[in-house]
Amino acid sequence: MTLTLEPILRSAGIDPGQALVIRHAYVREHDTGLSGIHADSTDDEILQYTREQSTDSRRFPTVPPRTWIVFIREGGDRARLWSVLENHGETGHDGSRRTFDLVESGLLSDLRNRLVIGWRSPRTWRLNGTTAADYPVMEIADAQPVPFPGFDRLILDHAHLQAVMREHRYAAWRTALSSVVGVYLITDTRNGRHYVGKADGAENIRQRWNAYAANGHGGNVELRGLDPTSFRFSLLRVFDPATPTSEIDAAESHFKNALDTRRHGLNRN
């Protein structure tokens, strides 16, 4: 059985019936005189290009849906995923062109530049989601590996932490985090309150952080009931796994005192 786009959309929570699918082609300038995009266009340039659409209802829907799934043309019969955008409404109308407030949604972000579908209508540049949902998946390419930035440069929000623990492109990060124990910091960015924690003994940083990726609180009473989407994770100090637990305990206590996380943060002890 051929894999189609539909199950991929639905697994991301996208209803094909409430989505618009666009395939951009590389055209430096259209017949209308408007600038197009090319192979060296930045993401910002492609986003700006997508924001501007025709006022002709035969060319573009009068009331477009909230979700826009944007592909880039590859040959006549293929399209590679660029991004999934949220349409927050029309912001301009000059009689011939409409401008929309579009922002990247994060949906299908792990498949950006990897997912390739067959495009059955080579002259068609936009489709409703239900039509595109039946288009075949031609390829899901291996993700390009992301170099590990170093322990002292690691700052992750919760969504990024989940990606690091799950996606193939972050394999080097997981290897690095598996090689150390130590003391870490969680910051609730809504109010600036800190939580200092540790991974020691048989539990390395990767294992400890994987628990946070899974449920947001990692089993810590202090963090239960808080929204993990506002959490930011970083490392304060890392140790070789052979380091005595007492040394790691002392480092954890030092940072709790230095950051005053018992009185003004999220640590209870």
Side-chain angles (χ1 to χ4, degrees):
M1 180 179 293
T2 301
L3 175 64
T4 65
L5 182 59
E6 180 170 9
I8 293 176
L9 297 182
R10 293 198 181 278
S11 70
I14 299 173
D15 178 358
Q18 302 298 318
L20 175 70
V21 179
I22 293 172
R23 184 178 77 156
H24 289 321
Y26 290 141
V27 179
R28 287 190 175 272
E29 184 174 304
H30 291 273
D31 295 338
T32 59
L34 293 172
S35 296
I37 58 173
H38 49 84
D40 295 323
S41 293
T42 65
D43 285 344
D44 285 343
E45 289 170 339
I46 296 174
L47 180 59
Q48 183 57 41
Y49 177 71
T50 309
R51 285 187 174 124
E52 298 184 4
Q53 299 294 338
S54 172
T55 58
D56 187 344
S57 60
R58 294 170 298 180
R59 295 175 57 104
F60 198 76
T62 302
V63 183
R66 182 176 178 83
T67 302
W68 298 15
I69 307 165
V70 183
F71 290 82
I72 302 294
R73 175 177 173 172
E74 286 193 350
D77 60 354
R78 288 163 60 96
R80 186 176 295 272
L81 179 65
W82 175 70
S83 190
V84 179
L85 307 176
E86 284 185 3
N87 167 29
H88 290 193
E90 186 176 314
T91 60
H93 191 309
D94 66 4
S96 61
R97 307 291 297 174
R98 303 164 68 193
T99 304
F100 293 87
D101 178 12
L102 302 178
V103 296
E104 294 194 51
S105 70
L107 297 174
L108 299 179
S109 60
D110 58 331
L111 292 178
R112 285 193 62 174
N113 301 310
R114 298 176 56 213
L115 172 64
V116 179
I117 63 172
W119 197 266
R120 293 172 178 159
S121 306
R123 294 188 179 184
T124 301
W125 64 272
R126 66 167 179 86
L127 300 166
N128 61 59
T130 52
T131 299
D134 288 332
Y135 278 23
V137 172
M138 308 297 291
E139 174 186 346
I140 299 179
D142 286 340
Q144 290 296 316
V146 180
F148 182 64
F151 297 116
D152 58 345
R153 297 181 180 179
L154 196 62
I155 301 176
L156 306 173
D157 62 24
H158 190 250
H160 196 182
L161 176 66
Q162 290 178 314
V164 166
M165 294 299 156
R166 178 182 69 238
E167 297 178 15
H168 176 72
R169 57 183 173 149
Y170 291 110
W173 298 42
R174 292 192 293 274
T175 299
L177 295 173
S178 296
S179 70
V180 294
V181 294
V183 182
Y184 58 86
L185 180 70
I186 300 175
T187 302
D188 188 338
T189 58
R190 293 172 303 177
N191 51 33
R193 300 177 74 194
H194 295 307
Y195 174 86
V196 173
K198 67 175 179 177
D200 59 7
E203 185 178 48
N204 56 49
I205 292 291
R206 174 188 174 180
Q207 291 168 320
R208 190 75 198 96
W209 280 13
N210 191 53
Y212 291 114
N215 60 27
H217 54 74
N220 298 116
V221 175
E222 301 92 330
L223 304 180
R224 290 183 185 272
L226 299 180
D227 181 2
T229 61
S230 65
F231 289 174
R232 187 173 63 198
F233 298 79
S234 59
L235 292 169
L236 295 174
R237 188 175 176 187
V238 296
F239 297 87
D240 183 278
T243 304
T245 299
S246 60
E247 188 173 338
I248 301 172
D249 288 344
E252 180 190 29
S253 181
H254 163 74
F255 284 111
K256 286 179 179 178
N257 290 334
L259 296 170
D260 203 11
T261 61
R262 295 184 180 95
R263 287 195 303 165
H264 299 111
L266 294 168
N267 287 107
R268 291 191 177 182
N269 54 55

